[in-house]
Amino acid sequence: MTGVGFKTAGAIKVTQEHRKDTKRDFLLEPEILNEALKNWGIDLQKVRNDLPLSGSPERSVRRFVIEDKNGLLFVLERIALKKVSRKKEMGSVLRALQHKGLGEIQAYLPTAVGNEQIAVNGNAVHQLSHYVKGEALMRPGYIFDEWRGIALGEFLINLKKASSSGLPLRNIAPFSIFAFIDEMQQKGKRLDPALFKKIDDIIDFLNSDFRVIHDRTPVIFCHGDFHPLNIIWSAAGIAAVIDWEFMGMKPEFYDVANMIGCVGIEDPNGLVGGLTHDFLTTLDSSLFLSPESRKHLPEAVLALRLAWLSVWLAKKDTEMVDIEIRYLRLLYDNIGDLKYSWGC
């Protein structure tokens, strides 16, 4: 996979650092912490603010690492009341996947009484999990680490196998990328028509053929936000896969396209770098995607980046909106080269 000359028209190298976890910068009385930890029969020794937490701090109200009196480390998360139902479902799914042999899953720990994965004390709702130590991801150099691509591919293969026999999910319609795009376009054209003129041709391109392909694509259980920053890495592989809040039934290419798109926005060379090459080779070895999904993988990446654009628009993150539009243009302008490089 060489010889692709990207028409960059300027660098689009992005370093998407996790936002500083300001939610950890607070003082809690020991009795408040102990009251929460009693649900798991844990005695607090100290809060370990010196230890890093992976993943997005936006997934919970507050989270922090605690050490018990035996020297064991845990992550205690306080959850918004409106998210309790979803968190319960997520906990049940993670427990099921762990029981099916996925060692990279960190299921929430059951309470000492009731065997529940959520503890309620008045208006405070908490979840607890083991703290997993990891190694820092060297950015952006990791995009050339072939072994990471193999590990990511193997995880998705194992996830597909483990989830094929059913999971405790609510019976809801599979996620539609185009429903997401349509809603963004309707709102966005009213609020900022000039912005959407920059990508009208991209949306028209996806609507011409890929919409039909998308609607008949097989659906499978997906992580929903699968990319290297949602992995806790060990020196030799994946120690844990985290941040499952967007899990669900989605088009079979969803996690694959999201992973590649996130690597590419880190550095466009990642689109054809060692990690992506070995990621796709590993997936192809198990025929992970149907022939039609595999053929149209570049379009899937493009469509998912439009979904990312909608996220930045909702957050009014003008810097990321600008970066995402330039990235969309890069993907669209080089889609033929990507098809060649990815063997589509």
Side-chain angles (χ1 to χ4, degrees):
M1 290 176 49
T2 58
V4 178
F6 285 115
K7 311 172 187 71
T8 57
I12 306 184
K13 183 177 178 181
V14 180
T15 304
Q16 288 181 306
E17 298 290 351
H18 286 304
R19 301 289 189 257
K20 182 183 177 183
D21 195 351
T22 55
K23 294 173 184 175
R24 297 177 67 201
D25 300 333
F26 65 96
L27 296 175
L28 282 178
E29 295 294 334
E31 55 266 27
I32 298 176
L33 283 174
N34 278 312
E35 188 65 26
L37 293 170
K38 277 181 184 177
N39 293 285
W40 290 273
I42 290 175
D43 293 320
L44 173 68
Q45 177 68 27
K46 57 183 173 181
V47 178
R48 294 293 303 273
N49 284 322
D50 58 308
L51 294 176
L53 273 165
S54 300
S56 172
E58 297 176 357
R59 303 287 192 247
S60 56
V61 176
R62 291 174 175 173
R63 61 181 193 153
F64 46 96
V65 182
I66 65 101
E67 182 178 332
D68 74 358
K69 292 188 176 180
N70 297 315
L72 299 177
L73 298 173
F74 302 88
V75 178
L76 184 67
E77 299 178 68
R78 185 167 182 175
I79 303 161
L81 288 173
K82 64 181 180 181
K83 294 185 177 181
V84 167
S85 176
R86 178 62 170 172
K87 288 285 189 175
K88 283 184 176 180
E89 181 182 38
M90 192 175 85
S92 297
V93 169
L94 294 182
R95 180 186 287 179
L97 290 172
Q98 192 177 60
H99 287 170
K100 291 183 179 188
L102 282 186
E104 302 93 340
I105 300 294
Q106 275 297 310
Y108 290 103
L109 298 175
T111 55
V113 177
N115 198 35
E116 299 290 339
Q117 291 180 309
I118 284 183
V120 181
N121 295 92
N123 290 326
V125 184
H126 293 91
Q127 286 184 308
L128 189 76
S129 58
H130 288 293
Y131 177 76
V132 180
K133 293 182 179 179
E135 298 209 349
L137 194 64
M138 302 306 294
R139 304 169 66 189
Y142 77 85
I143 66 173
F144 299 110
D145 292 340
E146 291 91 348
W147 67 270
R148 295 188 199 273
I150 295 170
L152 290 162
E154 288 177 344
F155 177 79
L156 286 189
I157 292 168
N158 293 332
L159 176 64
K160 184 177 181 180
K161 289 177 181 176
S163 59
S164 62
S165 57
L167 292 170
L169 284 166
R170 288 174 293 167
N171 186 22
I172 57 176
F175 175 84
S176 169
I177 297 171
F178 277 96
F180 212 66
I181 292 171
D182 290 346
E183 182 180 1
M184 173 194 69
Q185 193 177 16
Q186 290 169 9
K187 291 180 179 179
K189 281 196 169 182
R190 292 196 305 268
L191 298 174
D192 193 345
L195 183 148
F196 277 83
K197 281 186 178 180
K198 298 177 182 178
I199 55 172
D200 267 346
D201 56 338
I202 297 175
I203 295 175
D204 290 343
F205 167 74
L206 292 172
N207 278 328
S208 61
D209 293 313
F210 186 64
R211 180 183 283 266
V212 175
I213 292 162
H214 167 276
D215 290 347
R216 66 183 183 219
T217 297
V219 296
I220 62 173
F221 176 77
C222 293
H223 175 278
D225 194 14
F226 190 69
H227 58 78
L229 297 183
N230 276 341
I231 306 293
I232 299 178
W233 294 95
S234 68
I238 296 175
V241 180
I242 59 175
D243 284 8
W244 290 80
E245 277 75 8
F246 298 109
M247 67 175 195
M249 303 304 294
K250 302 176 190 288
E252 63 177 356
F253 53 68
Y254 191 100
D255 280 344
V256 180
N258 191 69
M259 203 292 297
I260 295 173
C262 288
V263 168
I265 202 169
E266 181 94 51
D267 185 323
N269 291 311
L271 293 168
V272 292
L275 186 155
T276 297
H277 174 269
D278 281 52
F279 176 62
L280 289 175
T281 299
T282 301
L283 294 174
D284 289 344
S285 70
S286 73
L287 302 178
F288 184 86
L289 295 175
S290 64
E292 189 169 53
S293 292
R294 184 66 175 83
K295 179 180 178 181
H296 294 282
L297 185 56
E299 289 93 333
V301 174
L302 194 61
L304 266 176
R305 293 321 302 186
L306 282 170
W308 275 91
L309 176 61
S310 71
V311 172
W312 309 133
L313 287 168
K315 292 184 175 182
K316 298 181 180 180
D317 189 334
T318 55
E319 180 183 4
M320 284 309 303
V321 166
D322 179 64
I323 289 170
E324 196 68 61
I325 287 177
R326 288 189 287 136
Y327 186 43
L328 282 162
R329 298 287 349 156
L330 182 145
L331 291 169
Y332 179 66
D333 292 343
N334 292 279
I335 201 162
D337 287 335
L338 290 174
K339 281 183 175 289
Y340 174 80
S341 294
W342 296 348
C344 299

